[in-house]
Amino acid sequence: MTRDYSRFFPNLSTNTGSEPRSVLDTLGWQPFFAQQISSEEIEGTPPVRVTKVHRSGLHVQGAEGEFVLPPRSDATVGDWIMYNEALPNSSRVLARKSLYQRRAPGTDRQMQLIAANIDTAFIVTSCNQDFNVARLERYIALALEAEVIPVILLTKSDLSDDPESYVQSAEAISDRVAVVVLDARGAEPEVKLAPWCKPKQTLAFLGSSGVGKSTLVNTLAGTDVTTQGIREDDSKGRHTTTHRQLHLLKNGCTVLDTPGMRELQITGATSGVSELFEDLTELSNQCKFSDCKHESEPGCRVLAAVARGEVDASRLQRWTKLVAEDRFHSASLQERKSKDKSLGKLVRAEQKRKRNRK
């Protein structure tokens, strides 16, 4: 039976994709991008979309075909760029409809762009050892922050003795997030993901390595990315996607496959975390003390809800951890920006001093 998911997105398109589509339409061109440019600009610098990012450059595609632009740090997969053939480095990146980003692994406190202009983020996990509520909450918080529709996909239910327990745990995360159980192979993905796979829509498959992201892309796009069986020791597949890449579907939908992420640190996702834990956020605003940490303070409405059994204690712990992590990393990022700004002033002052000496 096909479930009705319309309550999860009020602006669900009813477009069947039967009308003629241009190359730009197939790539996901939408009015949001068209309103940023003039007719003269589109003729002189036609729009192209970034389909892959490598160290050697940006792989882009447009009405004139596919080619490679010089590498640049301010663009990522899914971006739209107004291509200037005469001066490629001056090609303009259009304002984004959405941006999925995370704090980059390591200690340099940089932000890593994951994907731009995504409409729906399919957060893929398996009905096995990979399933982790805290990790799913992180993906969802980042999606909500980016104003992207999050959907949890549960794969490999046929290999589980109790798949319903995984479904219940996933549905308990948020009543705003649809949960879809499917077999990544065969006809199920095309049928069950049809509400989101609409013309001009861009979808992204996110999740750990080996949960079936590339298999889903294969099924939907008809590509032949090689995947292998499941390792018994950790329930993971042995195929690993090494880069993010956009694939064009025959119905005019664009789908992004991504490598598995070992680290998913929260930064600059305050509103996303608040939206995901909306009930706890509202309770915390009613606490007696504005700086309540919800540990042992008197008048804490959150702890009172836990005591009454209305809030699960483990969920409270995950929420406070995400809030603290987001604040810490956001502060660290701002500190780095301030230091970089100060360093830049010192460098410019030194350069000016040397010029004056000459």
Side-chain angles (χ1 to χ4, degrees):
M1 182 180 67
T2 302
R3 298 177 64 183
D4 178 15
Y5 296 106
S6 59
R7 71 182 181 89
F8 294 102
F9 34 81
N11 297 319
L12 176 64
S13 171
T14 57
N15 191 333
T16 62
S18 58
E19 71 280 358
R21 294 189 299 270
S22 67
V23 173
L24 292 185
D25 288 340
T26 304
L27 287 166
W29 186 253
Q30 298 179 8
F32 176 86
F33 309 110
Q35 66 185 9
Q36 300 180 44
I37 59 178
S38 64
S39 57
E40 293 78 11
E41 186 179 11
I42 199 170
E43 291 179 4
T45 56
V48 296
R49 195 170 195 191
V50 181
T51 58
K52 286 187 291 186
V53 176
H54 291 293
R55 292 181 180 178
S56 58
L58 305 178
H59 291 244
V60 300
Q61 187 171 345
E64 301 301 320
E66 302 179 51
F67 49 96
V68 180
L69 293 180
R72 52 192 295 173
S73 60
D74 64 338
T76 187
V77 173
D79 267 324
W80 283 96
I81 297 177
M82 303 305 293
Y83 173 54
N84 188 327
E85 184 177 8
L87 299 169
N89 289 325
S90 67
S91 298
R92 179 169 70 96
V93 179
L94 293 181
R96 298 165 174 130
K97 184 179 180 182
S98 64
L99 177 62
Y100 216 105
Q101 60 183 339
R102 64 167 179 171
R103 184 175 182 272
T107 59
D108 61 356
R109 295 177 290 188
Q110 294 282 7
M111 291 298 291
Q112 179 185 20
L113 305 181
I114 299 174
N117 301 314
I118 301 299
D119 296 294
T120 300
F122 290 124
I123 304 165
V124 188
T125 186
S126 303
C127 295
N128 54 30
Q129 294 168 250
D130 175 77
F131 187 89
N132 184 289
V133 171
R135 190 193 310 126
L136 290 174
E137 289 173 339
R138 288 171 178 267
Y139 276 111
I140 294 170
L142 288 176
L144 293 175
E145 182 70 30
E147 299 185 356
V148 172
I149 298 170
V151 179
I152 298 175
L153 300 187
L154 294 177
T155 62
K156 303 174 185 175
S157 60
D158 57 314
L159 302 179
S160 171
D161 295 331
D162 185 19
E164 185 58 30
S165 64
Y166 292 99
V167 176
Q168 293 176 359
S169 295
E171 290 181 336
I173 293 175
S174 173
D175 59 5
R176 297 187 178 190
V177 182
V179 177
V180 181
V181 184
L182 49 68
D183 185 341
R185 304 156 297 179
E188 281 198 359
E190 186 173 357
V191 173
K192 291 189 173 183
L193 303 185
W196 298 274
C197 295
K198 300 290 185 179
K200 299 186 181 183
Q201 293 291 295
T202 299
L203 322 173
F205 288 101
L206 307 170
S208 306
S209 297
V211 295
K213 299 190 303 295
S214 293
T215 301
L216 285 163
V217 172
N218 286 344
T219 304
L220 292 174
T223 53
D224 57 357
V225 178
T226 302
T227 59
Q228 300 183 41
I230 302 297
R231 295 194 301 250
E232 295 296 334
D233 57 342
D234 60 3
S235 301
K236 292 184 179 294
R238 287 173 286 181
H239 166 262
T240 301
T241 299
T242 57
H243 59 271
R244 298 183 293 279
Q245 180 175 352
L246 281 176
H247 302 266
L248 308 183
L249 273 59
K250 58 186 178 182
N251 73 337
C253 183
T254 307
V255 61
L256 172 67
D257 188 17
T258 65
M261 301 181 198
R262 295 182 179 180
E263 292 186 50
L264 193 62
Q265 299 185 31
I266 294 290
T267 303
T270 303
S271 62
V273 174
S274 296
E275 188 174 351
L276 176 59
F277 295 92
E278 182 179 17
D279 57 331
L280 297 182
T281 302
E282 291 180 356
L283 284 172
S284 67
N285 291 331
Q286 301 171 24
C287 289
K288 181 176 181 180
F289 301 104
S290 59
D291 60 348
C292 183
K293 297 181 179 179
H294 321 299
E295 294 176 349
S296 59
E297 297 87 345
C300 175
R301 297 294 297 273
V302 178
L303 291 179
V306 172
R308 292 192 301 268
E310 298 173 359
V311 173
D312 186 78
S314 60
R315 185 165 176 269
L316 170 59
Q317 292 175 355
R318 295 195 304 271
W319 171 61
T320 54
K321 181 178 180 180
L322 281 183
V323 170
E325 181 179 320
D326 179 62
R327 287 175 178 171
F328 174 78
H329 288 155
S330 297
S332 298
L333 184 63
Q334 186 60 41
E335 179 185 350
R336 175 173 181 119
K337 288 180 179 179
S338 298
K339 288 184 177 180
D340 289 345
K341 186 176 182 180
S342 298
L343 179 60
K345 288 182 178 179
L346 288 175
V347 171
R348 290 191 294 272
E350 179 64 17
Q351 291 174 340
K352 182 178 180 179
R353 186 181 66 81
K354 289 181 178 180
R355 288 195 299 268
N356 292 337
R357 289 178 61 183
K358 293 180 180 180

